[in-house]
Amino acid sequence: MKEFFFNLKGTLKNYNYILKYKLVWCLPIILFLLFLDWLSKGIVTSTMNLGDDKEFISGLINFEYTINPGAAYGINADLPTLAISIAIFVSLFIIVAFIFVKDKWWILGINFMLAGSLGNLIARIWAPPTENGIYGGVVDFLKFDFSFLGSDSYIFNLADAWVTISVILIIIALIIYLYCEIYELKLKKNEKLFEIYNDVQSQKLLTFEIYWSTFYKKDSENKISYKEYIQKMKSFNMKWKNEKKENN
């Protein structure tokens, strides 16, 4: 057991979290999405009364102010404690995923999911009570002005929209991942070409990690500029393109 924890500690210590990339690009995106969500909720609570509805874009989307004590789109509305517990668990899980995931496509989806999850979770602290005096709900105010698979029966907010977008992005990332896996299976039929492919991908990943790990280190021996980074990536792609022509 001690050996297991010792190995785990070493793995976590040496793991490349690409924190520079996440701090420079991902964190601002998350904070901006959170800001938009909280700003919209603040405007609604200060300018509308509970139960009010206003036309926004006719035939597309309108405003209808309500407090949802449940989860996204009104799920588990009669169980606010359960909704909050699930939200906390999901948020913690997404934070862990955000810390460890390194693939840019997956991280993009996680950004939106984390913003949506935290947006609703933290907003429960200051949201007004429901008509029944229940606290801990979420401000919902967006409602589709058309009916497609029951779309006009849900009232949601921007945080819910971020989660929906994240699911779409993660599905796209999954499709890309599966495509790459199938592509690699085909390449394995040509051992030499597959070896070259792995080498190119490893170089691209290493360059990406070096670029972001030395982003703020002016005196680092391995530091590369953004221009050099782009040039290296282009050269790797060109190398693969040429090798593929020669070995096919």
Side-chain angles (χ1 to χ4, degrees), residues 193-234:
L193 195 61
F194 182 65
E195 186 178 340
I196 295 170
Y197 172 80
N198 279 334
D199 181 58
V200 170
Q201 294 302 314
S202 297
Q203 290 182 59
K204 289 172 71 174
L205 179 60
L206 180 61
T207 303
F208 172 77
E209 292 179 348
I210 290 174
Y211 174 70
W212 286 107
S213 64
T214 60
F215 191 81
Y216 287 118
K217 297 178 181 178
K218 295 182 179 180
D219 301 325
S220 175
E221 295 180 1
N222 298 323
K223 183 176 177 60
I224 57 176
S225 66
Y226 178 73
K227 185 177 180 180
E228 291 172 327
Y229 170 73
I230 295 299
Q231 288 175 343
K232 282 179 176 289
M233 287 299 181
K234 286 182 178 179

mmCIF file of all heavy atoms in Angstrom, residues 193-234:
data_model
loop_
_atom_site.group_PDB
_atom_site.id
_atom_site.type_symbol
_atom_site.label_atom_id
_atom_site.label_comp_id
_atom_site.label_asym_id
_atom_site.label_seq_id
_atom_site.Cartn_x
_atom_site.Cartn_y
_atom_site.Cartn_z
ATOM 1 N N LEU A 193 5.161 3.580 -41.605
ATOM 2 C CA LEU A 193 4.353 4.801 -41.628
ATOM 3 C C LEU A 193 3.753 5.081 -40.251
ATOM 4 O O LEU A 193 3.693 6.230 -39.809
ATOM 5 C CB LEU A 193 3.240 4.665 -42.674
ATOM 6 C CG LEU A 193 2.518 5.957 -43.084
ATOM 7 C CD1 LEU A 193 3.504 6.944 -43.690
ATOM 8 C CD2 LEU A 193 1.407 5.647 -44.075
ATOM 9 N N PHE A 194 3.338 4.023 -39.571
ATOM 10 C CA PHE A 194 2.761 4.175 -38.239
ATOM 11 C C PHE A 194 3.808 4.687 -37.253
ATOM 12 O O PHE A 194 3.506 5.521 -36.383
ATOM 13 C CB PHE A 194 2.198 2.837 -37.764
ATOM 14 C CG PHE A 194 1.535 2.909 -36.411
ATOM 15 C CD1 PHE A 194 0.391 3.664 -36.231
ATOM 16 C CD2 PHE A 194 2.067 2.227 -35.330
ATOM 17 C CE1 PHE A 194 -0.226 3.742 -34.981
ATOM 18 C CE2 PHE A 194 1.462 2.297 -34.085
ATOM 19 C CZ PHE A 194 0.313 3.052 -33.910
ATOM 20 N N GLU A 195 5.015 4.215 -37.397
ATOM 21 C CA GLU A 195 6.111 4.670 -36.527
ATOM 22 C C GLU A 195 6.403 6.152 -36.757
ATOM 23 O O GLU A 195 6.616 6.913 -35.806
ATOM 24 C CB GLU A 195 7.364 3.838 -36.804
ATOM 25 C CG GLU A 195 8.512 4.139 -35.865
ATOM 26 C CD GLU A 195 9.725 3.266 -36.124
ATOM 27 O OE1 GLU A 195 9.575 2.196 -36.754
ATOM 28 O OE2 GLU A 195 10.821 3.657 -35.686
ATOM 29 N N ILE A 196 6.393 6.554 -38.015
ATOM 30 C CA ILE A 196 6.622 7.969 -38.349
ATOM 31 C C ILE A 196 5.492 8.833 -37.794
ATOM 32 O O ILE A 196 5.721 9.919 -37.249
ATOM 33 C CB ILE A 196 6.734 8.154 -39.877
ATOM 34 C CG1 ILE A 196 7.964 7.422 -40.404
ATOM 35 C CG2 ILE A 196 6.805 9.637 -40.241
ATOM 36 C CD1 ILE A 196 8.030 7.336 -41.918
ATOM 37 N N TYR A 197 4.276 8.338 -37.927
ATOM 38 C CA TYR A 197 3.100 9.063 -37.433
ATOM 39 C C TYR A 197 3.202 9.288 -35.925
ATOM 40 O O TYR A 197 2.977 10.402 -35.431
ATOM 41 C CB TYR A 197 1.836 8.274 -37.768
ATOM 42 C CG TYR A 197 0.576 8.824 -37.150
ATOM 43 C CD1 TYR A 197 -0.085 9.913 -37.712
ATOM 44 C CD2 TYR A 197 0.043 8.246 -35.992
ATOM 45 C CE1 TYR A 197 -1.240 10.418 -37.143
ATOM 46 C CE2 TYR A 197 -1.115 8.749 -35.417
ATOM 47 C CZ TYR A 197 -1.753 9.829 -35.992
ATOM 48 O OH TYR A 197 -2.902 10.330 -35.419
ATOM 49 N N ASN A 198 3.541 8.243 -35.190
ATOM 50 C CA ASN A 198 3.691 8.360 -33.735
ATOM 51 C C ASN A 198 4.798 9.335 -33.363
ATOM 52 O O ASN A 198 4.677 10.103 -32.401
ATOM 53 C CB ASN A 198 3.987 6.986 -33.121
ATOM 54 C CG ASN A 198 2.731 6.164 -32.931
ATOM 55 O OD1 ASN A 198 1.644 6.709 -32.782
ATOM 56 N ND2 ASN A 198 2.872 4.850 -32.950
ATOM 57 N N ASP A 199 5.865 9.303 -34.139
ATOM 58 C CA ASP A 199 6.987 10.205 -33.881
ATOM 59 C C ASP A 199 6.572 11.659 -34.084
ATOM 60 O O ASP A 199 6.886 12.531 -33.262
ATOM 61 C CB ASP A 199 8.155 9.849 -34.803
ATOM 62 C CG ASP A 199 9.361 10.744 -34.571
ATOM 63 O OD1 ASP A 199 9.862 10.779 -33.428
ATOM 64 O OD2 ASP A 199 9.796 11.419 -35.525
ATOM 65 N N VAL A 200 5.841 11.914 -35.158
ATOM 66 C CA VAL A 200 5.380 13.279 -35.447
ATOM 67 C C VAL A 200 4.413 13.759 -34.372
ATOM 68 O O VAL A 200 4.515 14.897 -33.885
ATOM 69 C CB VAL A 200 4.709 13.344 -36.841
ATOM 70 C CG1 VAL A 200 4.020 14.697 -37.040
ATOM 71 C CG2 VAL A 200 5.736 13.119 -37.934
ATOM 72 N N GLN A 201 3.485 12.892 -33.975
ATOM 73 C CA GLN A 201 2.517 13.269 -32.945
ATOM 74 C C GLN A 201 3.204 13.533 -31.608
ATOM 75 O O GLN A 201 2.831 14.464 -30.877
ATOM 76 C CB GLN A 201 1.468 12.155 -32.784
ATOM 77 C CG GLN A 201 0.573 11.955 -33.995
ATOM 78 C CD GLN A 201 -0.187 13.198 -34.383
ATOM 79 O OE1 GLN A 201 -0.769 13.872 -33.546
ATOM 80 N NE2 GLN A 201 -0.178 13.520 -35.668
ATOM 81 N N SER A 202 4.212 12.736 -31.300
ATOM 82 C CA SER A 202 4.961 12.926 -30.050
ATOM 83 C C SER A 202 5.707 14.253 -30.064
ATOM 84 O O SER A 202 5.747 14.965 -29.052
ATOM 85 C CB SER A 202 5.951 11.777 -29.850
ATOM 86 O OG SER A 202 5.276 10.548 -29.714
ATOM 87 N N GLN A 203 6.284 14.590 -31.214
ATOM 88 C CA GLN A 203 7.001 15.861 -31.335
ATOM 89 C C GLN A 203 6.050 17.050 -31.205
ATOM 90 O O GLN A 203 6.385 18.060 -30.574
ATOM 91 C CB GLN A 203 7.726 15.921 -32.681
ATOM 92 C CG GLN A 203 8.912 14.969 -32.786
ATOM 93 C CD GLN A 203 9.626 15.097 -34.119
ATOM 94 O OE1 GLN A 203 10.114 16.158 -34.479
ATOM 95 N NE2 GLN A 203 9.666 14.010 -34.866
ATOM 96 N N LYS A 204 4.873 16.922 -31.780
ATOM 97 C CA LYS A 204 3.881 17.999 -31.687
ATOM 98 C C LYS A 204 3.425 18.192 -30.245
ATOM 99 O O LYS A 204 3.309 19.325 -29.762
ATOM 100 C CB LYS A 204 2.684 17.688 -32.591
ATOM 101 C CG LYS A 204 3.002 17.799 -34.075
ATOM 102 C CD LYS A 204 1.863 17.309 -34.943
ATOM 103 C CE LYS A 204 0.683 18.236 -34.926
ATOM 104 N NZ LYS A 204 -0.362 17.818 -35.899
ATOM 105 N N LEU A 205 3.175 17.081 -29.559
ATOM 106 C CA LEU A 205 2.749 17.153 -28.162
ATOM 107 C C LEU A 205 3.850 17.737 -27.287
ATOM 108 O O LEU A 205 3.590 18.587 -26.421
ATOM 109 C CB LEU A 205 2.357 15.764 -27.661
ATOM 110 C CG LEU A 205 1.904 15.673 -26.198
ATOM 111 C CD1 LEU A 205 0.678 16.548 -25.956
ATOM 112 C CD2 LEU A 205 1.603 14.230 -25.813
ATOM 113 N N LEU A 206 5.076 17.305 -27.523
ATOM 114 C CA LEU A 206 6.207 17.807 -26.745
ATOM 115 C C LEU A 206 6.398 19.302 -26.973
ATOM 116 O O LEU A 206 6.640 20.062 -26.025
ATOM 117 C CB LEU A 206 7.480 17.045 -27.128
ATOM 118 C CG LEU A 206 8.760 17.458 -26.389
ATOM 119 C CD1 LEU A 206 8.610 17.218 -24.892
ATOM 120 C CD2 LEU A 206 9.963 16.689 -26.935
ATOM 121 N N THR A 207 6.277 19.734 -28.215
ATOM 122 C CA THR A 207 6.420 21.157 -28.540
ATOM 123 C C THR A 207 5.331 21.977 -27.866
ATOM 124 O O THR A 207 5.587 23.069 -27.337
ATOM 125 C CB THR A 207 6.357 21.364 -30.067
ATOM 126 O OG1 THR A 207 7.373 20.582 -30.692
ATOM 127 C CG2 THR A 207 6.558 22.831 -30.427
ATOM 128 N N PHE A 208 4.118 21.452 -27.889
ATOM 129 C CA PHE A 208 2.989 22.126 -27.230
ATOM 130 C C PHE A 208 3.253 22.284 -25.735
ATOM 131 O O PHE A 208 3.053 23.362 -25.158
ATOM 132 C CB PHE A 208 1.713 21.313 -27.469
ATOM 133 C CG PHE A 208 0.519 21.791 -26.689
ATOM 134 C CD1 PHE A 208 -0.188 22.910 -27.088
ATOM 135 C CD2 PHE A 208 0.108 21.117 -25.546
ATOM 136 C CE1 PHE A 208 -1.290 23.354 -26.363
ATOM 137 C CE2 PHE A 208 -0.985 21.546 -24.820
ATOM 138 C CZ PHE A 208 -1.687 22.672 -25.232
ATOM 139 N N GLU A 209 3.724 21.216 -25.105
ATOM 140 C CA GLU A 209 3.977 21.247 -23.666
ATOM 141 C C GLU A 209 5.144 22.169 -23.321
ATOM 142 O O GLU A 209 5.099 22.888 -22.320
ATOM 143 C CB GLU A 209 4.235 19.829 -23.159
ATOM 144 C CG GLU A 209 2.998 18.938 -23.230
ATOM 145 C CD GLU A 209 3.263 17.526 -22.743
ATOM 146 O OE1 GLU A 209 4.451 17.174 -22.560
ATOM 147 O OE2 GLU A 209 2.293 16.776 -22.550
ATOM 148 N N ILE A 210 6.189 22.158 -24.145
ATOM 149 C CA ILE A 210 7.341 23.041 -23.900
ATOM 150 C C ILE A 210 6.934 24.502 -24.038
ATOM 151 O O ILE A 210 7.314 25.348 -23.223
ATOM 152 C CB ILE A 210 8.495 22.714 -24.881
ATOM 153 C CG1 ILE A 210 9.116 21.359 -24.540
ATOM 154 C CG2 ILE A 210 9.563 23.806 -24.837
ATOM 155 C CD1 ILE A 210 10.160 20.903 -25.534
ATOM 156 N N TYR A 211 6.149 24.781 -25.062
ATOM 157 C CA TYR A 211 5.727 26.169 -25.302
ATOM 158 C C TYR A 211 4.978 26.729 -24.100
ATOM 159 O O TYR A 211 5.266 27.827 -23.619
ATOM 160 C CB TYR A 211 4.852 26.242 -26.549
ATOM 161 C CG TYR A 211 4.259 27.613 -26.781
ATOM 162 C CD1 TYR A 211 5.063 28.686 -27.163
ATOM 163 C CD2 TYR A 211 2.898 27.841 -26.589
ATOM 164 C CE1 TYR A 211 4.525 29.950 -27.360
ATOM 165 C CE2 TYR A 211 2.353 29.099 -26.785
ATOM 166 C CZ TYR A 211 3.167 30.147 -27.172
ATOM 167 O OH TYR A 211 2.634 31.395 -27.355
ATOM 168 N N TRP A 212 4.021 25.953 -23.591
ATOM 169 C CA TRP A 212 3.207 26.464 -22.491
ATOM 170 C C TRP A 212 3.903 26.357 -21.140
ATOM 171 O O TRP A 212 3.642 27.167 -20.243
ATOM 172 C CB TRP A 212 1.862 25.737 -22.455
ATOM 173 C CG TRP A 212 0.977 26.200 -23.559
ATOM 174 C CD1 TRP A 212 0.642 25.525 -24.687
ATOM 175 C CD2 TRP A 212 0.345 27.483 -23.660
ATOM 176 N NE1 TRP A 212 -0.159 26.294 -25.491
ATOM 177 C CE2 TRP A 212 -0.357 27.503 -24.885
ATOM 178 C CE3 TRP A 212 0.301 28.615 -22.848
ATOM 179 C CZ2 TRP A 212 -1.092 28.595 -25.308
ATOM 180 C CZ3 TRP A 212 -0.432 29.708 -23.269
ATOM 181 C CH2 TRP A 212 -1.121 29.690 -24.488
ATOM 182 N N SER A 213 4.792 25.401 -20.977
ATOM 183 C CA SER A 213 5.500 25.273 -19.699
ATOM 184 C C SER A 213 6.553 26.363 -19.527
ATOM 185 O O SER A 213 6.976 26.658 -18.410
ATOM 186 C CB SER A 213 6.157 23.894 -19.589
ATOM 187 O OG SER A 213 7.147 23.727 -20.582
ATOM 188 N N THR A 214 6.987 26.969 -20.635
ATOM 189 C CA THR A 214 8.000 28.038 -20.561
ATOM 190 C C THR A 214 7.412 29.390 -20.962
ATOM 191 O O THR A 214 8.149 30.321 -21.279
ATOM 192 C CB THR A 214 9.192 27.709 -21.488
ATOM 193 O OG1 THR A 214 8.726 27.603 -22.847
ATOM 194 C CG2 THR A 214 9.854 26.404 -21.084
ATOM 195 N N PHE A 215 6.093 29.494 -20.945
ATOM 196 C CA PHE A 215 5.417 30.693 -21.442
ATOM 197 C C PHE A 215 5.899 31.962 -20.738
ATOM 198 O O PHE A 215 6.118 32.999 -21.364
ATOM 199 C CB PHE A 215 3.903 30.537 -21.269
ATOM 200 C CG PHE A 215 3.102 31.597 -21.970
ATOM 201 C CD1 PHE A 215 2.847 31.515 -23.322
ATOM 202 C CD2 PHE A 215 2.605 32.685 -21.262
ATOM 203 C CE1 PHE A 215 2.108 32.493 -23.974
ATOM 204 C CE2 PHE A 215 1.867 33.666 -21.901
ATOM 205 C CZ PHE A 215 1.615 33.570 -23.258
ATOM 206 N N TYR A 216 6.064 31.894 -19.410
ATOM 207 C CA TYR A 216 6.467 33.070 -18.641
ATOM 208 C C TYR A 216 7.951 33.061 -18.264
ATOM 209 O O TYR A 216 8.415 33.952 -17.566
ATOM 210 C CB TYR A 216 5.636 33.166 -17.359
ATOM 211 C CG TYR A 216 4.208 33.592 -17.597
ATOM 212 C CD1 TYR A 216 3.156 32.753 -17.265
ATOM 213 C CD2 TYR A 216 3.917 34.829 -18.159
ATOM 214 C CE1 TYR A 216 1.841 33.141 -17.479
ATOM 215 C CE2 TYR A 216 2.608 35.225 -18.375
ATOM 216 C CZ TYR A 216 1.575 34.377 -18.032
ATOM 217 O OH TYR A 216 0.277 34.761 -18.247
ATOM 218 N N LYS A 217 8.673 32.056 -18.708
ATOM 219 C CA LYS A 217 10.087 31.945 -18.337
ATOM 220 C C LYS A 217 10.959 32.565 -19.427
ATOM 221 O O LYS A 217 11.273 31.937 -20.434
ATOM 222 C CB LYS A 217 10.458 30.474 -18.124
ATOM 223 C CG LYS A 217 9.694 29.826 -16.980
ATOM 224 C CD LYS A 217 10.071 28.358 -16.835
ATOM 225 C CE LYS A 217 9.286 27.700 -15.708
ATOM 226 N NZ LYS A 217 9.610 26.261 -15.577
ATOM 227 N N LYS A 218 11.348 33.794 -19.215
ATOM 228 C CA LYS A 218 12.104 34.523 -20.230
ATOM 229 C C LYS A 218 13.495 33.945 -20.458
ATOM 230 O O LYS A 218 14.028 33.996 -21.563
ATOM 231 C CB LYS A 218 12.223 35.999 -19.826
ATOM 232 C CG LYS A 218 10.891 36.726 -19.792
ATOM 233 C CD LYS A 218 11.088 38.184 -19.428
ATOM 234 C CE LYS A 218 9.745 38.913 -19.410
ATOM 235 N NZ LYS A 218 9.900 40.347 -19.063
ATOM 236 N N ASP A 219 14.099 33.419 -19.406
ATOM 237 C CA ASP A 219 15.482 32.952 -19.505
ATOM 238 C C ASP A 219 15.597 31.443 -19.712
ATOM 239 O O ASP A 219 16.681 30.879 -19.617
ATOM 240 C CB ASP A 219 16.261 33.346 -18.234
ATOM 241 C CG ASP A 219 16.269 34.852 -18.014
ATOM 242 O OD1 ASP A 219 16.310 35.576 -19.023
ATOM 243 O OD2 ASP A 219 16.232 35.277 -16.848
ATOM 244 N N SER A 220 14.504 30.783 -19.986
ATOM 245 C CA SER A 220 14.540 29.335 -20.156
ATOM 246 C C SER A 220 15.260 28.956 -21.451
ATOM 247 O O SER A 220 15.062 29.575 -22.499
ATOM 248 C CB SER A 220 13.117 28.774 -20.182
ATOM 249 O OG SER A 220 13.136 27.399 -20.462
ATOM 250 N N GLU A 221 16.106 27.931 -21.361
ATOM 251 C CA GLU A 221 16.847 27.473 -22.540
ATOM 252 C C GLU A 221 15.919 26.872 -23.591
ATOM 253 O O GLU A 221 16.191 26.943 -24.787
ATOM 254 C CB GLU A 221 17.894 26.427 -22.123
ATOM 255 C CG GLU A 221 18.996 26.983 -21.226
ATOM 256 C CD GLU A 221 20.004 25.915 -20.851
ATOM 257 O OE1 GLU A 221 19.838 24.763 -21.311
ATOM 258 O OE2 GLU A 221 20.947 26.220 -20.104
ATOM 259 N N ASN A 222 14.828 26.270 -23.134
ATOM 260 C CA ASN A 222 13.908 25.598 -24.051
ATOM 261 C C ASN A 222 12.787 26.497 -24.561
ATOM 262 O O ASN A 222 11.943 26.052 -25.339
ATOM 263 C CB ASN A 222 13.281 24.376 -23.360
ATOM 264 C CG ASN A 222 14.316 23.342 -22.980
ATOM 265 O OD1 ASN A 222 15.266 23.123 -23.715
ATOM 266 N ND2 ASN A 222 14.130 22.717 -21.825
ATOM 267 N N LYS A 223 12.771 27.749 -24.116
ATOM 268 C CA LYS A 223 11.664 28.633 -24.469
ATOM 269 C C LYS A 223 11.592 28.855 -25.978
ATOM 270 O O LYS A 223 12.606 29.062 -26.642
ATOM 271 C CB LYS A 223 11.817 29.982 -23.768
ATOM 272 C CG LYS A 223 10.655 30.943 -24.038
ATOM 273 C CD LYS A 223 10.816 32.219 -23.255
ATOM 274 C CE LYS A 223 9.701 33.199 -23.581
ATOM 275 N NZ LYS A 223 8.368 32.645 -23.257
ATOM 276 N N ILE A 224 10.373 28.793 -26.501
ATOM 277 C CA ILE A 224 10.146 29.091 -27.914
ATOM 278 C C ILE A 224 9.048 30.144 -28.015
ATOM 279 O O ILE A 224 8.121 30.170 -27.205
ATOM 280 C CB ILE A 224 9.748 27.830 -28.713
ATOM 281 C CG1 ILE A 224 8.505 27.167 -28.110
ATOM 282 C CG2 ILE A 224 10.896 26.860 -28.798
ATOM 283 C CD1 ILE A 224 8.009 25.971 -28.897
ATOM 284 N N SER A 225 9.180 31.009 -28.989
ATOM 285 C CA SER A 225 8.184 32.058 -29.187
ATOM 286 C C SER A 225 6.948 31.480 -29.871
ATOM 287 O O SER A 225 6.964 30.353 -30.375
ATOM 288 C CB SER A 225 8.768 33.180 -30.045
ATOM 289 O OG SER A 225 9.036 32.703 -31.361
ATOM 290 N N TYR A 226 5.898 32.284 -29.899
ATOM 291 C CA TYR A 226 4.667 31.824 -30.549
ATOM 292 C C TYR A 226 4.904 31.584 -32.037
ATOM 293 O O TYR A 226 4.406 30.605 -32.602
ATOM 294 C CB TYR A 226 3.563 32.869 -30.357
ATOM 295 C CG TYR A 226 2.266 32.503 -31.044
ATOM 296 C CD1 TYR A 226 1.451 31.497 -30.537
ATOM 297 C CD2 TYR A 226 1.874 33.153 -32.214
ATOM 298 C CE1 TYR A 226 0.268 31.142 -31.171
ATOM 299 C CE2 TYR A 226 0.692 32.809 -32.859
ATOM 300 C CZ TYR A 226 -0.105 31.805 -32.329
ATOM 301 O OH TYR A 226 -1.268 31.453 -32.973
ATOM 302 N N LYS A 227 5.689 32.473 -32.646
ATOM 303 C CA LYS A 227 6.001 32.319 -34.070
ATOM 304 C C LYS A 227 6.759 31.020 -34.322
ATOM 305 O O LYS A 227 6.470 30.290 -35.284
ATOM 306 C CB LYS A 227 6.822 33.520 -34.544
ATOM 307 C CG LYS A 227 7.094 33.531 -36.037
ATOM 308 C CD LYS A 227 7.852 34.784 -36.445
ATOM 309 C CE LYS A 227 8.115 34.790 -37.948
ATOM 310 N NZ LYS A 227 8.862 36.013 -38.362
ATOM 311 N N GLU A 228 7.723 30.740 -33.455
ATOM 312 C CA GLU A 228 8.489 29.494 -33.589
ATOM 313 C C GLU A 228 7.595 28.279 -33.369
ATOM 314 O O GLU A 228 7.743 27.252 -34.042
ATOM 315 C CB GLU A 228 9.643 29.481 -32.581
ATOM 316 C CG GLU A 228 10.741 30.487 -32.896
ATOM 317 C CD GLU A 228 11.766 30.575 -31.782
ATOM 318 O OE1 GLU A 228 11.380 30.404 -30.600
ATOM 319 O OE2 GLU A 228 12.948 30.823 -32.089
ATOM 320 N N TYR A 229 6.675 28.421 -32.427
ATOM 321 C CA TYR A 229 5.745 27.324 -32.131
ATOM 322 C C TYR A 229 4.898 26.993 -33.361
ATOM 323 O O TYR A 229 4.749 25.823 -33.739
ATOM 324 C CB TYR A 229 4.858 27.718 -30.950
ATOM 325 C CG TYR A 229 3.703 26.788 -30.697
ATOM 326 C CD1 TYR A 229 3.912 25.525 -30.143
ATOM 327 C CD2 TYR A 229 2.397 27.164 -31.015
ATOM 328 C CE1 TYR A 229 2.850 24.661 -29.913
ATOM 329 C CE2 TYR A 229 1.337 26.310 -30.784
ATOM 330 C CZ TYR A 229 1.565 25.068 -30.237
ATOM 331 O OH TYR A 229 0.514 24.219 -30.020
ATOM 332 N N ILE A 230 4.354 28.014 -33.994
ATOM 333 C CA ILE A 230 3.525 27.816 -35.190
ATOM 334 C C ILE A 230 4.356 27.221 -36.324
ATOM 335 O O ILE A 230 3.903 26.307 -37.038
ATOM 336 C CB ILE A 230 2.889 29.147 -35.641
ATOM 337 C CG1 ILE A 230 1.915 29.664 -34.575
ATOM 338 C CG2 ILE A 230 2.170 28.976 -36.974
ATOM 339 C CD1 ILE A 230 0.754 28.746 -34.289
ATOM 340 N N GLN A 231 5.576 27.726 -36.485
ATOM 341 C CA GLN A 231 6.454 27.213 -37.540
ATOM 342 C C GLN A 231 6.786 25.740 -37.323
ATOM 343 O O GLN A 231 6.811 24.947 -38.272
ATOM 344 C CB GLN A 231 7.736 28.046 -37.599
ATOM 345 C CG GLN A 231 7.534 29.444 -38.170
ATOM 346 C CD GLN A 231 8.793 30.289 -38.111
ATOM 347 O OE1 GLN A 231 9.735 29.972 -37.376
ATOM 348 N NE2 GLN A 231 8.822 31.365 -38.880
ATOM 349 N N LYS A 232 7.043 25.389 -36.069
ATOM 350 C CA LYS A 232 7.346 23.987 -35.757
ATOM 351 C C LYS A 232 6.153 23.089 -36.063
ATOM 352 O O LYS A 232 6.303 21.997 -36.627
ATOM 353 C CB LYS A 232 7.748 23.853 -34.280
ATOM 354 C CG LYS A 232 9.174 24.297 -33.971
ATOM 355 C CD LYS A 232 9.461 24.154 -32.492
ATOM 356 C CE LYS A 232 10.904 24.495 -32.163
ATOM 357 N NZ LYS A 232 11.843 23.465 -32.670
ATOM 358 N N MET A 233 4.974 23.544 -35.686
ATOM 359 C CA MET A 233 3.773 22.752 -35.943
ATOM 360 C C MET A 233 3.550 22.569 -37.442
ATOM 361 O O MET A 233 3.177 21.488 -37.912
ATOM 362 C CB MET A 233 2.550 23.422 -35.303
ATOM 363 C CG MET A 233 2.512 23.315 -33.790
ATOM 364 S SD MET A 233 2.449 21.579 -33.257
ATOM 365 C CE MET A 233 2.391 21.748 -31.484
ATOM 366 N N LYS A 234 3.783 23.629 -38.196
ATOM 367 C CA LYS A 234 3.637 23.538 -39.653
ATOM 368 C C LYS A 234 4.661 22.572 -40.243
ATOM 369 O O LYS A 234 4.347 21.807 -41.161
ATOM 370 C CB LYS A 234 3.800 24.926 -40.281
ATOM 371 C CG LYS A 234 2.609 25.845 -40.071
ATOM 372 C CD LYS A 234 2.826 27.180 -40.767
ATOM 373 C CE LYS A 234 1.607 28.085 -40.603
ATOM 374 N NZ LYS A 234 1.814 29.406 -41.263
#
